[in-house]
Amino acid sequence: MKKRFAHIAAGLAFVLASGIAINAYSQVKPETLVKQRQSAMNLQGKYFYGHLRLTAQGKVPYDAKMVARNAAYLDALAGMPWDGFTAATKDVKSAATPAVFSEPAKFKDAVDHFLAETAKLVALTKGTDEAAIKAQILAIDKSCGGCHDTFRERQ
Amino acid sequence: MKKRFAHIAAGLAFVLASGIAINAYSQVKPETLVKQRQSAMNLQGKYFYGHLRLTAQGKVPYDAKMVARNAAYLDALAGMPWDGFTAATKDVKSAATPAVFSEPAKFKDAVDHFLAETAKLVALTKGTDEAAIKAQILAIDKSCGGCHDTFRERQ
């Protein structure tokens, strides 16, 4: 997991610390960054709430291939929103709470936890332990909710 | 590639043909489907136009790790929009042209072409042939443009 987050940290560093990259990325308006991170969250919702959680809850029939595909999609999407939470986006209207910007270490921990849980699900979907897969989906659900409690305005 | 598209086709079938799945998915409003597919397109733009194409054009320095990561992201995102183009979304305001719905075989071919080009890029990023990687990024750019010419309203 450290490795996964290092990857994201590297992405942030790429945006924030590299002069030439800044020239490329600084053209991205704060509004666009917000739209992009919201897009990643929307798609996490599509695959997680729209299928994986329904599967864990027994509301749709268990389809191992679809679960594995959607877990892989979620894992990719899990890496995408965070470099959109730059200081420049602080005043753009969104569901992010001020805590995202005032408590970056806590936010990073929450993200890190989510990435760890998602990676565990991907690993489990290489096997056939349906009960463990369903339990891990519910662990991810807790991770989503735990982060949203502090870092997303109540919807 | 056939395999990749079969996977998507299976996703569509999952949505369109399975009774129980329909119960789960039919709660998704056409407006939500449009928002989800637009989210996938936005994120393709983030990683493709916002980094990969700039790299191929020599506008940002070549970073092999970042190119490989973003190619993998693009490859995942490449599978995500298409099940959002259901007949129910035909009259929802979006940039999709009527041809998406009136010429489904042609639309499928364009999607198939995009998936093939993206998979080729992912394969190339396992190696170190920078020139081939850059050429393949530009091939993807053509594929995007070719599809948009017919299936996206002029922006």
Side-chain angles (χ1 to χ4, degrees):
Chain A
M1 289 317 94
K2 297 250 177 220
K3 211 180 147 203
R4 278 292 303 280
F5 199 83
H7 214 70
I8 290 171
L12 280 167
F14 181 78
V15 175
L16 302 174
S18 156
I20 297 173
I22 280 178
N23 289 341
Y25 278 83
S26 64
Q27 295 163 11
V28 181
K29 291 178 198 162
E31 290 74 14
T32 303
L33 289 174
V34 170
K35 204 174 160 190
Q36 288 171 339
R37 74 191 195 208
Q38 288 174 337
S39 292
M41 294 296 195
N42 278 340
L43 289 167
Q44 287 175 22
K46 174 180 177 183
Y47 296 103
F48 187 73
Y49 299 123
H51 180 257
L52 292 170
R53 192 172 66 173
L54 293 173
T55 298
Q57 293 169 334
K59 292 182 184 169
V60 299
Y62 191 80
D63 178 332
K65 268 192 192 172
M66 189 62 66
V67 167
R69 192 205 65 170
N70 290 352
Y73 277 178
L74 184 67
D75 191 53
L77 292 165
M80 296 185 191
W82 321 117
D83 63 357
F85 289 92
T86 68
T89 65
K90 212 171 156 179
D91 299 319
V92 179
K93 193 174 148 54
S94 83
T97 62
V100 168
F101 306 101
S102 63
E103 300 188 58
K106 202 177 162 190
F107 185 53
K108 179 188 174 303
D109 282 350
V111 169
D112 214 356
H113 184 256
F114 173 54
L115 292 171
E117 296 291 18
T118 305
K120 272 186 217 164
L121 178 63
V122 170
L124 284 168
T125 61
K126 312 285 183 200
T128 56
D129 187 343
E130 191 180 314
I133 287 169
K134 286 181 174 176
Q136 188 54 34
I137 290 170
L138 296 177
I140 293 175
D141 193 29
K142 265 197 186 168
S143 178
C144 296
C147 189
H148 290 166
D149 279 348
T150 306
F151 297 110
R152 189 178 67 169
E153 300 288 358
R154 298 208 173 277
Q155 307 283 296
Chain B
M1 289 319 95
K2 298 253 176 219
K3 212 180 146 203
R4 280 289 303 279
F5 199 83
H7 214 71
I8 290 172
L12 280 166
F14 181 79
V15 175
L16 302 173
S18 157
I20 298 174
I22 279 177
N23 289 342
Y25 277 83
S26 63
Q27 295 162 11
V28 181
K29 291 179 200 161
E31 290 74 14
T32 302
L33 289 174
V34 169
K35 205 175 159 189
Q36 288 171 340
R37 74 190 196 209
Q38 288 175 337
S39 291
M41 294 296 196
N42 279 339
L43 289 168
Q44 288 175 21
K46 174 180 178 183
Y47 296 103
F48 187 74
Y49 299 125
H51 180 255
L52 293 170
R53 192 173 67 173
L54 293 173
T55 298
Q57 292 168 336
K59 293 180 184 170
V60 297
Y62 191 81
D63 177 332
K65 267 192 192 169
M66 189 62 65
V67 166
R69 192 205 65 171
N70 290 351
Y73 277 178
L74 184 68
D75 191 53
L77 292 165
M80 297 185 191
W82 321 116
D83 63 358
F85 289 92
T86 68
T89 66
K90 211 172 156 178
D91 299 320
V92 180
K93 193 175 147 56
S94 83
T97 62
V100 167
F101 306 100
S102 63
E103 300 188 59
K106 202 177 162 189
F107 185 54
K108 180 188 173 304
D109 282 349
V111 170
D112 214 357
H113 185 257
F114 173 54
L115 292 170
E117 296 291 19
T118 304
K120 272 186 215 164
L121 178 63
V122 170
L124 285 168
T125 62
K126 312 284 184 202
T128 57
D129 188 343
E130 191 180 315
I133 288 168
K134 287 181 173 177
Q136 188 54 33
I137 290 171
L138 296 177
I140 292 174
D141 193 30
K142 266 197 187 170
S143 178
C144 296
C147 189
H148 290 167
D149 279 348
T150 306
F151 297 110
R152 188 177 68 169
E153 299 289 357
R154 298 213 170 274
Q155 308 283 295

